[in-house]
Amino acid sequence: MSYRPDRRSFLQATTWAAATVAASSPLSQAWAQTKWPAKPIRIIVAFPPGGLTDALARSYGEYLSSKLGVPVVIENKPGAGAIIGIDAAAKSPADGYTLVMSTSGTFWQNRILYSKLPYNLDKDLTPVTVFPSGPLVVGINEKIPATNMAEFVAWAKKNPTSMGTYAPGSYPHMVADQTNRIHGTQIQSVHYRGEAPMWLDVASGQSQIAVGSFLAFNAVASRGVRPIGVTGSYRSPKLPNVPTLMEQGDTAKLVTLEGGLPLVAPAATPEAVLKLLAEEAVAWSNTDKAAKLRETFAIPNKPKNLAATRKDWESEVPVWIKLAVDLGIKLD
């Protein structure tokens, strides 16, 4: 059974740890004299309300507030492919009071997609945990005569086609680019500030295809959008009859990977705080509210503790970065 510290034992551990390194830096000296948390915690969400990132941040934030006894404020800062929100966190004090949540692609691949970023992911930010996003749904306008990805590709070769994405450089943007490269299509990526407007345009026929979370897709499933596949290595629990792209014969590495929603902090945030925040994410995932949320979004997996998150980060980030390099997408 894993040990999850309560607030009192955590504060005792924090005070001891800080005291042992008090001479190492001014931040450590200040930390030794401060009880955390002593004020509201802010979680920046790099997307607008209404999508999976926002929903997970709010649910986790509510739970964290109840455990730590301070308000947890969700601040939506969308725009510029999530750079605005991530940069705001990177430039915040590393005192445990500012976190940021975005999609894995915007954290990991933006360094390749943009020639210059206002922050350095490796030096300015550090992972806390990653909230799994589950299989993403590939949905098309219902008027298109296709029931799977191969049929859609054949249709796209003969018709003007656009794919909605929830941000420049996001997962669907890369799927569109890779499809063009492999199959010779000319699918245009149309970027939105979040999933809701993206799916609405697929439903209306303004865009022909999109890739996103089950819940956002499901909002338009009866209004003109049909699923033709899901990403990742297993079927969506909510769409058991819809085969994965892998099952449909797509062996490209991109469609086999499961992304996530990293929760990240400024790099010098004290280790004890990072560990507690990750442990509370694991504890949150075992609550009834979290289970219902994961069921709503068709997410079977759970976030991990700090050590496991770092291990995954070290092994998975290079794979995503290589995909971005190989595709050669540039957004500036």
Side-chain angles (χ1 to χ4, degrees):
M1 178 179 297
S2 61
Y3 169 69
R4 182 169 62 83
D6 58 22
R7 185 167 181 253
R8 176 178 294 178
S9 61
F10 166 76
L11 291 175
Q12 292 173 343
T14 301
T15 302
W16 175 84
T20 63
V21 296
S24 62
S25 69
L27 177 62
S28 298
Q29 294 173 14
W31 191 260
Q33 301 171 8
T34 303
K35 290 186 176 181
W36 183 92
K39 62 180 183 179
I41 296 169
R42 177 177 63 149
I43 301 178
I44 298 171
V45 175
F47 288 91
L52 175 58
T53 314
D54 183 72
L56 283 171
R58 291 182 185 278
S59 181
Y60 169 67
E62 180 182 354
Y63 175 83
L64 192 63
S65 177
S66 70
K67 297 297 290 185
L68 300 183
V70 297
V72 176
V73 180
I74 307 301
E75 183 177 343
N76 297 91
K77 282 184 171 291
I83 292 174
I84 293 173
I86 297 173
D87 185 48
K91 289 180 168 56
S92 296
D95 54 8
Y97 292 104
T98 299
L99 308 167
V100 60
M101 187 183 293
S102 187
T103 62
S104 53
T106 57
F107 277 117
W108 301 340
Q109 294 164 294
N110 272 1
R111 67 179 82 188
I112 303 301
L113 303 174
Y114 294 90
S115 300
K116 186 176 181 180
L117 292 172
Y119 55 86
N120 184 308
L121 181 64
D122 298 318
K123 295 181 179 180
D124 299 335
L125 295 159
T126 189
V128 176
T129 191
V130 176
F131 292 85
S133 57
L136 300 180
V137 182
V138 182
I140 63 173
N141 182 274
E142 65 178 4
K143 295 181 180 179
I144 297 173
T147 59
N148 54 50
M149 194 63 179
E151 291 177 358
F152 178 81
V153 168
W155 181 89
K157 289 181 177 180
K158 301 175 183 178
N159 298 275
T161 307
S162 64
M163 177 179 283
T165 89
Y166 41 79
S170 61
Y171 189 90
H173 185 188
M174 301 195 73
V175 169
D177 190 81
Q178 183 165 271
T179 302
N180 289 340
R181 289 172 180 266
I182 293 175
H183 299 289
T185 50
Q186 295 184 9
I187 300 172
Q188 299 296 314
S189 293
V190 180
H191 307 303
Y192 297 85
R193 296 179 70 178
E195 288 193 76
M198 172 188 80
W199 284 117
L200 286 173
D201 269 9
V202 177
S204 69
Q206 294 298 310
S207 291
Q208 288 69 51
I209 185 171
V211 183
S213 67
F214 169 78
L215 186 63
F217 155 80
N218 199 45
V220 295
S222 62
R223 298 163 58 186
V225 183
R226 179 172 65 253
I228 60 170
V230 299
T231 66
S233 59
Y234 55 91
R235 296 190 181 192
S236 169
K238 292 289 188 179
L239 298 170
N241 296 322
V242 178
T244 67
L245 296 183
M246 287 178 62
E247 290 177 290
Q248 297 181 39
D250 191 339
T251 58
K253 185 66 175 177
L254 179 63
V255 303
T256 69
L257 297 173
E258 180 180 352
L261 304 172
L263 180 69
V264 174
T269 301
E271 184 78 359
V273 173
L274 297 175
K275 286 182 178 179
L276 179 66
L277 290 170
E279 289 288 349
E280 294 296 0
V282 173
W284 163 85
S285 71
N286 292 319
T287 64
D288 290 340
K289 280 189 175 181
K292 290 178 181 178
L293 180 62
R294 294 200 320 276
E295 181 183 3
T296 298
F297 278 93
I299 303 171
N301 300 335
K302 300 177 181 181
K304 300 178 181 179
N305 64 25
L306 184 61
T309 297
R310 285 173 172 168
K311 183 178 180 180
D312 289 346
W313 196 271
E314 291 176 0
S315 63
E316 294 176 4
V317 172
V319 176
W320 286 93
I321 291 175
K322 186 178 186 304
L323 284 170
V325 171
D326 291 345
L327 289 173
I329 300 174
K330 280 294 181 181
L331 302 179
D332 54 9

